[in-house]
């Protein structure tokens, strides 16, 4: 049998969080907790560092602002100069509203694309989504901890014992 | 974070809920479980359509078809089918545009600003309000496009594309700023709404029974598994989108107000316009949110999720923004007198006592008097009363835009070019039809997508808090 990982179902967020602390302290690296909503404190319990999405947002915003300023200068002050009311051909003030909107537009795309890239989404297939119990729980009212068989510390018996001692009532192997 | 060291809490420390008198009124009533929330909210889309749904959709789509007919007539004949004249070149078209775009603002305020302010009650209403934003922006977008007459040329006026003389659009014009503001607003609102939907689409996918439904929900859920490593990036992206939407929503109606304020017309050329327009937009938007959600909470049995407290809080926002709007009306008059510009003063006297006095006083009674009824708790908690007032808020805010646009235009500097605007049946039917589009989109949304953010509402229940006894926290145990 080709197994993806060992899945342990927990009934409450506190149980899942305590289990996560133990799995973290046991030194596992390829594991995750699947929850129907973000559980606060779980990031620390899993030892996850701060998300890097902000960098994508920043790069998006900087690109948007620069694009706006350069586009407006190029169109109205370089490629085809139009004199309107004797005003200067280019001024950052009249170019600001559009550049401001483009900053926000590009930064928003940056955030969403950054989130998708960091999460390796979209994906059309995941071994866990073929498991009936997982689908009925992780997006509904259960908290499911999964340790992948690919983890260097994974050992079918030891890992199962660890999850059972953490208080899971249901542990099963998920096929790949 | 390297929180590898355990900090055991001595067993003498008891983890107990705060005393009853300190507990806030819960956001979800009757202590509903997490599972109940997904069953109940997803159930609205899953079961057979309620009896009122199809008749409602038939009425709204008839209105939509009427609007499409009117637009076809307008495009094939010309803008003369509307009541526009010289000097009133903008009337119902731009009034409707500003009305609809303003309505959208409440959705963004709820989803972004209240999120940054950590107002947890927003979770029950933000999804429907964001959907309302999108549909209102869709309705708004129609009017500036069709009001230009030969709309097949619009492609050269809106996006920056050079015309046949290679001349680019003029970026000094606030009308072009508006194009960028509104299209950015529509796009970012869609992104924000979709980001919020991803976890709920996964819930819908996991519950779906039909193959087509499972595929479609699954496709748009992007393969979401609820992984906490994903949630970590997701929450950061959501926070950043909220942070970006906040300055965006404030800029959109400010820029809409520049369409007027940057011109020289008495009654338009004032610096109070940006904040006054933004407050009015939020005011009207909350009116529309309440007009939609009060019937829906009864029809879809959502009283435990959208509670009386939620409605009461939204009434308080209406009271606050309505007071700002009332203040702005007063300040406009004061500055018209104090500023010493005779044309400005004449324009304001004409607003209140000129031929359009009825529009002005309709606006005042709906926008200045109505919201102040919400000082009374009894009235805020009476659903029928709130519903009626919310309708009046909508009417009043439509009149506000009519007052600003038509009354200012119909008499400017030259008495020889004064005029009077009367709408035609095409004006009226196009506007009514835009409600058809709005309601049709909303009915389809509430039938096929979760109308309430399932994962977010779950997150604000005590069962979701690992430090609350209901979330499984045990005496003496701590992470």
């Amino acid at each position: 049998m080709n197994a993806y990982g060992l899945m342990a179902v927990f009934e409450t967020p506190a149980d899942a969080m305590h289990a996560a602390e133990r799995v973290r302290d046991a030194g596992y690296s390829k594991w995750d907790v699947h929850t129907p909503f973000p559980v606060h404190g779980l990031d620390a319990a899993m030892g996850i560092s701060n998300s890097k999405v902000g960098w994508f947002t920043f790069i998006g915003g900087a690109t948007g602002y620069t694009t706006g300023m350069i586009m407006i200068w190029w169109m109205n002050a370089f490629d085809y100069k139009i004199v309107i009311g004797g005003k200067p051909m280019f001024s950052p003030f009249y170019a600001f509203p559009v550049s401001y909107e483009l900053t926000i537009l590009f930064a928003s795309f940056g955030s969403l694309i950054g989130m998708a890239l960091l999460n390796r989404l979209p994906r059309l297939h995941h071994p866990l989504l073929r498991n009936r119990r997982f689908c009925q729980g992780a997006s509904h009212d259960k908290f499911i901890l999964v340790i992948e068989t690919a983890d260097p510390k994974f050992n079918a018996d030891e890992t199962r014992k660890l999850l059972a001692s953490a208080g899971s009532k249901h542990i099963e192997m998920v096929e790949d | 974070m390297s929180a590898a060291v355990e900090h055991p809490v001595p067993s003498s420390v008891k983890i107990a809920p705060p005393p009853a008198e300190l507990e806030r009124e819960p956001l979800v009533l009757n202590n509903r479980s997490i599972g109940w929330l997904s069953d109940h909210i997803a159930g609205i889309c899953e079961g057979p359509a309620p009896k009122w749904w199809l008749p409602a959709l038939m009425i709204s789509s008839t209105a939509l078809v009427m609007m499409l007919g009117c637009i076809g007539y307008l495009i094939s004949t010309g803008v003369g089918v509307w009541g526009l004249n010289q000097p009133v070149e903008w009337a119902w078209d731009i009034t409707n545009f500003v009305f609809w775009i303003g309505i959208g603002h409440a959705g963004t305020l709820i989803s972004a600003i209240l999120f940054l302010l950590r107002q947890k009650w927003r979770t029950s209403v933000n999804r429907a309000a964001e959907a309302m934003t999108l549909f209102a922006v869709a309705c708004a977008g129609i009017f500036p496009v069709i009001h230009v007459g030969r709309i097949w040329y619009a492609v050269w006026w809106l996006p920056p594309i050079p015309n046949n003389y290679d001349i680019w659009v003029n970026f000094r014009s606030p009308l072009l700023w508006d194009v960028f503001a509104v299209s950015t607003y529509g796009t970012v609102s869609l992104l924000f709404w979709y980001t919020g939907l991803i976890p709920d689409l996964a819930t819908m996918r996991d519950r779906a029974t039909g193959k087509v439904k499972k595929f479609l929900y699954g496709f748009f859920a992007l393969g979401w598994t609820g992984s906490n490593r994903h949630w970590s990036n997701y929450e950061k992206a959501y926070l950043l989108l909220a942070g970006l939407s906040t300055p965006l929503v404030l800029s959109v109606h400010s820029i809409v107000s520049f369409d007027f304020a940057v011109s020289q017309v008495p009654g338009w050329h004032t610096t109070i316009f940006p904040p006054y327009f933004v407050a009015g937009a939020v005011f009207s938007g909350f009116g529309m949110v309440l007009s939609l959600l009060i019937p829906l909470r009864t029809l879809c049995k959502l009283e435990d999720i959208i509670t009386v407290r939620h409605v009461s809080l939204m009434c308080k926002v209406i009271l606050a923004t309505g007071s700002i709007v009332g203040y702005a009306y007063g300040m406009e008059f004061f500055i018209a007198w104090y500023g010493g510009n005779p044309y400005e003063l004449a324009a304001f006297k004409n607003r209140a006592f000129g031929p359009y006095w009825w529009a002005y006083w309709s606006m005042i009674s709906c926008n200045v008097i109505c919201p102040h009824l919400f000082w009374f708790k009894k009235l805020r908690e009476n659903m029928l009363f709130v519903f009626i007032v919310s309708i009046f808020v909508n009417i009043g805010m439509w009149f506000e835009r009519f007052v600003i646009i038509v009354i200012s235009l119909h008499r400017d500097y030259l008495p020889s070019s004064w005029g009077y605007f009367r709408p035609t049946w095409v004006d009226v039917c196009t506007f009514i039809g835009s409600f058809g589009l709005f309601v049709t989109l909303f009915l389809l949304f509430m039938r096929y997508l979760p109308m309430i953010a399932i994962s977010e509402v779950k997150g604000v229940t005590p069962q979701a808090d690992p430090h609350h006894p209901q979330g499984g926290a045990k005496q003496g145990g701590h992470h």
Side-chain angles (χ1 to χ4, degrees):
Chain A
M1 179 176 107
N2 202 359
Y4 169 76
L6 198 59
M7 149 181 142
V9 181
F10 295 91
E11 298 292 324
T12 67
D15 289 349
M17 203 163 79
H18 296 311
E21 283 160 356
R22 298 184 53 172
V23 173
R24 173 198 68 197
D25 294 345
Y28 287 92
S29 53
K30 289 194 162 186
W31 62 288
D32 214 331
V33 187
H34 300 262
T35 57
F37 51 85
V39 175
H40 291 281
L42 196 53
D43 284 4
M46 285 180 68
I48 301 177
S49 56
N50 195 5
S51 165
K52 292 186 178 59
V53 173
W55 287 105
F56 291 86
T57 310
F58 176 75
I59 292 166
T63 312
Y65 188 76
T66 323
T67 307
M69 284 289 169
I70 292 176
M71 174 182 78
I72 294 169
W73 168 81
W74 188 77
M75 286 177 185
N76 280 179
F78 184 80
D79 187 51
Y80 197 119
K81 293 179 182 171
I82 322 171
V83 185
I84 288 163
K87 295 190 181 92
M89 289 299 175
F90 180 78
S91 146
F93 299 107
Y94 86 71
F96 184 75
V98 167
S99 307
Y100 177 90
E101 300 300 332
L102 289 178
T103 308
I104 292 176
L105 183 67
F106 281 48
S108 303
F109 274 105
S111 314
L112 194 60
I113 292 169
M115 189 271 281
L117 283 177
L118 292 171
N119 287 345
R120 307 285 185 274
L121 292 176
R123 56 181 294 173
L124 291 171
H125 166 78
H126 197 288
L128 287 170
L129 292 179
R130 279 203 311 222
N131 184 298
R132 225 180 137 63
R133 193 178 274 268
F134 179 87
C135 288
Q136 287 172 352
S139 63
H140 186 54
D141 63 349
K142 297 284 188 285
F143 306 84
I144 299 177
L145 199 157
V146 181
I147 301 179
E148 288 177 40
T149 50
D151 192 295
K153 287 208 69 174
F154 187 85
N155 173 309
D157 297 329
E158 290 292 313
T159 308
R160 185 180 283 266
K161 246 185 242 165
L162 173 73
L163 291 172
S165 69
S168 173
K169 297 272 180 345
H170 179 92
I171 300 173
E172 76 170 79
M173 206 57 139
V174 182
E175 286 177 37
D176 200 5
Chain B
M1 266 183 226
S2 58
V5 192
E6 284 276 345
H7 298 290
V9 176
S11 55
S12 57
V13 174
K14 289 209 164 43
I15 295 185
E21 63 271 22
L22 289 183
E23 269 298 9
R24 281 195 178 186
E25 208 178 311
L27 291 166
V28 178
L29 296 182
N30 294 327
N31 205 16
R32 299 293 191 179
S33 69
I34 295 171
W36 182 88
L37 287 169
S38 32
D39 289 338
H40 196 74
I41 298 167
I44 299 169
C45 316
E46 288 166 348
K51 279 198 183 69
W52 53 270
W53 188 79
L54 196 61
L57 187 69
M58 282 161 76
I59 295 169
S60 68
S61 47
T62 308
L64 168 60
V65 170
M66 179 175 77
M67 179 185 73
L68 295 177
C70 287
I71 293 176
Y73 178 51
L74 172 91
I75 292 172
S76 59
T77 316
V79 282
V81 301
W82 283 344
L84 302 179
N85 56 31
Q86 293 283 354
V88 188
E89 298 98 341
W90 276 357
W92 280 43
D93 45 1
I94 301 303
T95 301
N96 298 343
F97 161 68
V98 183
F99 170 76
W100 279 118
I101 201 88
I103 284 182
H105 282 51
T108 321
L109 184 107
I110 293 175
S111 58
I113 300 182
L114 296 186
F115 181 78
L116 296 183
L117 297 176
R118 299 172 191 241
Q119 295 296 305
K120 287 184 176 175
W121 61 273
R122 73 181 264 291
T123 56
S124 297
V125 289
N126 72 331
R127 173 72 44 75
E130 284 169 42
M132 179 198 78
T133 296
L134 283 177
F135 306 149
V137 173
C139 292
I142 294 170
F143 291 98
V145 173
I146 62 172
H147 94 292
V148 295
R150 298 175 198 175
I151 71 158
W152 47 95
Y153 290 135
V155 69
W156 284 284
W157 303 327
L158 302 175
I161 294 175
N163 69 5
N164 53 345
Y165 295 111
D166 267 345
I167 304 177
W168 295 95
V169 284
N170 173 22
F171 280 97
R172 294 171 187 85
S173 165
L175 296 178
L176 190 62
W177 303 348
D178 211 11
V179 172
F180 277 83
V182 172
S183 51
T184 300
Y185 185 49
T187 314
V188 173
S189 300
L190 181 68
L191 289 183
F192 198 23
W193 182 68
Y194 176 64
T195 306
L197 264 170
I198 293 171
D200 288 359
L201 287 169
T203 304
M204 298 302 290
R205 169 200 67 201
D206 292 345
R207 298 171 59 93
T209 41
K211 264 219 149 95
V212 179
K213 272 195 162 182
K214 204 171 187 70
F215 174 77
L216 283 176
Y217 285 130
F219 183 81
F220 288 105
L222 308 177
W224 184 260
T225 57
S227 143
N228 192 55
R229 293 178 199 278
H230 289 183
W231 276 122
S232 169
N233 291 319
Y234 173 92
E235 283 202 285
K236 181 68 86 182
Y238 197 83
L239 174 71
L240 285 164
L241 281 173
L244 290 164
S245 299
T246 301
L248 175 63
V249 70
L250 298 178
S251 80
V252 172
H253 231 57
S254 298
I255 290 180
V256 169
S257 82
F258 291 163
D259 291 349
F260 307 102
V262 173
S263 77
Q264 304 287 337
V265 178
W268 284 6
H269 188 59
T270 56
T271 48
I272 201 177
F273 262 27
Y276 158 33
F277 267 53
V278 172
V282 173
F283 177 62
S284 70
F286 270 89
M288 188 59 96
V289 170
L290 287 171
S291 308
L292 285 173
L293 288 183
I294 289 179
L296 281 175
R297 76 186 274 278
T298 314
L299 289 169
C300 300
K301 301 191 176 53
L302 296 167
E303 289 94 341
D304 283 350
I305 305 170
I306 303 171
T307 66
V308 173
R309 180 176 162 218
H310 286 95
V311 174
S312 175
L313 285 167
M314 287 192 270
C315 291
K316 286 182 186 170
V317 178
I318 288 194
L319 174 57
T321 48
S323 305
I324 299 176
V325 168
Y327 169 80
Y329 293 161
M331 192 44 74
E332 272 190 320
F333 258 85
F334 173 73
I335 292 294
W337 166 74
Y338 187 69
N341 179 339
Y343 298 102
E344 190 78 6
L345 186 61
F348 277 89
K349 278 186 182 159
N350 181 48
R351 265 192 199 178
F353 307 110
Y356 284 108
W357 62 270
W358 47 271
Y360 183 79
W361 294 105
S362 308
M363 169 188 95
I364 292 287
S365 39
C366 292
N367 290 355
V368 181
I369 300 168
C370 272
H372 289 281
L373 298 168
F374 286 149
W375 284 106
F376 303 101
K377 192 174 181 197
K378 271 246 157 58
L379 296 177
R380 288 201 303 270
E381 293 184 347
N382 180 336
M383 292 302 122
L384 183 64
F385 182 82
V386 174
F387 178 72
I388 293 168
V389 170
S390 75
I391 302 278
F392 276 111
V393 167
N394 283 312
I395 296 173
M397 283 309 291
W398 188 87
F399 270 112
E400 182 198 294
R401 281 64 179 253
F402 181 84
V403 163
I404 292 173
I405 293 168
V406 174
I407 306 188
S408 303
L409 281 177
H410 91 123
R411 286 185 179 177
D412 60 5
Y413 299 102
L414 275 180
S416 60
S417 57
W418 286 3
Y420 193 83
F421 166 83
R422 277 185 191 82
T424 63
W425 66 270
V426 187
D427 278 304
V428 179
C429 292
T430 312
F431 178 53
I432 296 173
S434 67
F435 277 93
L437 173 63
F438 181 73
V439 176
T440 303
L441 289 171
F442 200 86
L443 286 170
L444 292 173
F445 154 73
M446 62 149 291
R447 185 73 192 117
Y448 294 104
L449 290 169
M451 192 170 77
I452 288 172
I454 304 174
S455 68
E456 290 190 43
V457 175
K458 284 177 183 171
V460 298
T461 58
Q463 294 94 325
D465 180 1
H467 305 290
H468 194 283
Q470 286 201 47
K474 288 177 191 75
Q475 189 177 315
H478 189 69
H479 76 95

